[in-house]
Amino acid sequence: MLLALDVGNTNIVFAVFEGDALKLSLRCRTDNASSADEYAAFVTPLLQAHGLSLKDFEDVIVSSVVPDANRHIAEFSERYIQKEPYFIS
């Protein structure tokens, strides 16, 4: 499975893809001060409610227009998914 993040000025969308199919979409408020731990605390229980886990992801891809959030997003991916995210510019 693929975790795709769209980091916008207002929201961050966490999209779960299985192949080409969108399986789940989650949204939280963009906050430059949010830590990797806060992202994990947000997404983990919501994934679990759908029978998913952070360990299910084979890759992480990020599209971001908020450079100040990128470090925390990368840390979230590396720490909790054990994958280096691929950032699309």
Side-chain angles (χ1 to χ4, degrees), residues 28-71:
C28 72
R29 182 175 50 89
T30 301
D31 181 353
N32 295 345
S34 290
S35 68
D37 299 329
E38 290 171 308
Y39 291 127
F42 164 74
V43 77
T44 299
L46 296 172
L47 289 172
Q48 290 173 342
H50 290 88
L52 299 170
S53 163
L54 290 171
K55 298 196 184 297
D56 293 334
F57 298 109
E58 298 166 0
D59 289 300
V60 179
I61 190 165
V62 182
S63 171
S64 175
V65 297
V66 187
D68 291 342
N70 291 353
R71 179 175 60 90

Side-chain angles (χ1 to χ4, degrees), residues 1-51:
M1 268 192 275
L2 170 71
L3 179 62
L5 286 81
D6 180 16
V7 183
N9 290 314
T10 305
N11 292 300
I12 299 174
V13 178
F14 295 78
V16 177
F17 286 90
E18 190 163 23
D20 291 338
L22 176 63
K23 188 168 180 141
L24 179 64
S25 178
L26 307 168
R27 183 178 301 265
C28 72
R29 182 175 50 89
T30 301
D31 181 353
N32 295 345
S34 290
S35 68
D37 299 329
E38 290 171 308
Y39 291 127
F42 164 74
V43 77
T44 299
L46 296 172
L47 289 172
Q48 290 173 342
H50 290 88

